[in-house]
Amino acid sequence: MLSKSQISLLKSLQNKKERKEYGQFLVEGYKSVIEFINSPYKIEAIYHTASFDPKVLKLSQKINLYNISVTDIEKISSLKTPQEVIALVKIPQHAPLNNQKLRQKFSLVLDGVQDPGNMGTIIRTADWFGIDDIVCSDDTVDAYNPKVVQASMGSLARVNVHYVDLSTILLQVGLPVFGAMLNGENIYKTNFGDEGLIVMGNEGNGLRPEIERLISKAVTIPRAGKAESLNVGIATALFCAEISRNKLGKQ
């Protein structure tokens, strides 16, 4: 049984301020927890109900396991229908992002993406298409937000998310910078080359003017219907798919 103070601390990790203060976040659900166990992330503890004993007891003996009640799980969880396995995970300290790390590959750049579900989808999409790094503006939603972690379905364990001053990075990186914008070049006719940054904007406002000025090529997904806009998660998936198709075409 967890003490009130332990429950309070774990529950507080739903908030960005406390995640930053304690350097920890929660992962819910057995499949997602396994993804993080099989990654470089450090698992501080796993909390589980008795019904998960057979599965959880097969895990590494180096992990601290706590059998707790369903009631305590419900108090900790951020979900309406709580999972019966929750991991306490240490937030990694990524090395400072340098230009060399972004060369000879494609990386995603997010300018003010706010919705946790969109962020989780983008992380999962990056993982599917083999994109290792997502570079975010400081006001992009926190990757360790519970809703982001849940929506990423374990992919956060394999994708590095960096928070930086975008203007500085885009000025210094020396790579092609492709921006998802209206009135740009047709994405299906764009030559993406072999490396670059793909910049996606805020759900409602798109790219900020100061970021737009740093785009070397505006690219548009042509509209055939009458929808006003595309969801940023869907748009990101289309960009990733097209870059992947371009690569395959050169092999």
Side-chain angles (χ1 to χ4, degrees):
M1 183 175 179
L2 295 178
S3 67
K4 288 184 178 180
S5 61
Q6 287 174 310
I7 290 173
S8 178
L9 188 151
L10 292 169
K11 192 174 180 65
S12 75
L13 297 178
Q14 294 180 25
N15 304 315
K16 182 177 180 179
K17 179 182 176 183
E18 278 72 21
R19 290 195 297 273
K20 187 173 181 180
E21 178 181 347
Y22 295 110
Q24 299 170 319
F25 69 104
L26 298 180
V27 177
E28 302 194 45
Y30 184 74
K31 288 183 178 179
S32 290
V33 168
I34 292 298
E35 298 279 16
F36 279 90
I37 288 173
N38 295 325
S39 78
Y41 279 79
K42 180 183 178 183
I43 310 299
E44 311 258 60
I46 291 178
Y47 304 92
H48 65 95
T49 60
S51 64
F52 267 79
D53 275 353
K55 287 186 176 181
V56 172
L57 292 176
K58 294 178 183 178
L59 302 178
S60 170
Q61 296 303 307
K62 295 179 181 179
I63 299 175
N64 295 316
L65 303 176
Y66 297 93
N67 186 327
I68 64 175
S69 68
V70 172
T71 300
D72 281 349
I73 283 281
E74 290 173 345
K75 290 176 181 177
I76 298 167
S77 177
S78 63
L79 303 175
K80 289 183 179 179
T81 305
Q83 303 284 327
E84 293 189 51
V85 179
I86 298 178
L88 177 64
V89 185
K90 186 176 178 61
I91 295 175
Q93 296 297 314
H94 293 301
L97 191 63
N98 60 66
N99 299 348
Q100 198 60 38
K101 183 176 174 59
L102 300 175
R103 292 188 179 279
Q104 298 182 335
K105 64 180 184 179
F106 286 92
S107 301
L108 295 175
V109 176
L110 306 182
D111 181 24
V113 170
Q114 296 294 303
D115 183 79
N118 285 338
M119 183 66 169
T121 297
I122 290 169
I123 292 169
R124 193 175 179 187
T125 299
D127 186 26
W128 178 267
F129 286 101
I131 292 176
D132 300 322
D133 294 283
I134 300 177
V135 184
C136 304
S137 61
D138 289 325
D139 63 341
T140 292
V141 63
D142 180 23
Y144 301 107
N145 175 302
K147 292 180 180 178
V148 175
V149 177
Q150 194 70 22
S152 77
M153 298 292 288
S155 287
L156 181 59
R158 289 179 291 273
V159 178
N160 303 312
V161 183
H162 312 270
Y163 290 84
V164 300
D165 182 318
L166 283 191
S167 296
T168 301
I169 288 291
L170 297 182
L171 277 169
Q172 295 178 351
V173 73
L175 288 170
V177 180
F178 301 93
M181 298 167 64
L182 297 175
N183 304 317
E185 183 176 319
N186 186 324
I187 187 173
Y188 305 117
K189 296 179 180 178
T190 300
N191 179 7
F192 286 97
D194 298 316
E195 60 181 358
L197 303 178
I198 309 300
V199 188
M200 312 301 296
N202 173 269
E203 290 88 345
N205 303 314
L207 300 179
R208 280 175 277 213
E210 60 267 32
I211 300 301
E212 276 193 25
R213 288 192 288 269
L214 302 174
I215 300 297
S216 49
K217 180 174 284 189
V219 181
T220 298
I221 299 167
R223 177 173 59 179
K226 296 182 180 180
E228 182 182 347
S229 63
L230 270 178
N231 172 278
V232 67
I234 298 296
T236 302
L238 291 172
F239 269 85
C240 290
E242 188 60 18
I243 288 166
S244 179
R245 189 185 69 82
N246 274 229
K247 282 184 179 179
L248 291 172
K250 295 174 182 177
Q251 292 178 356

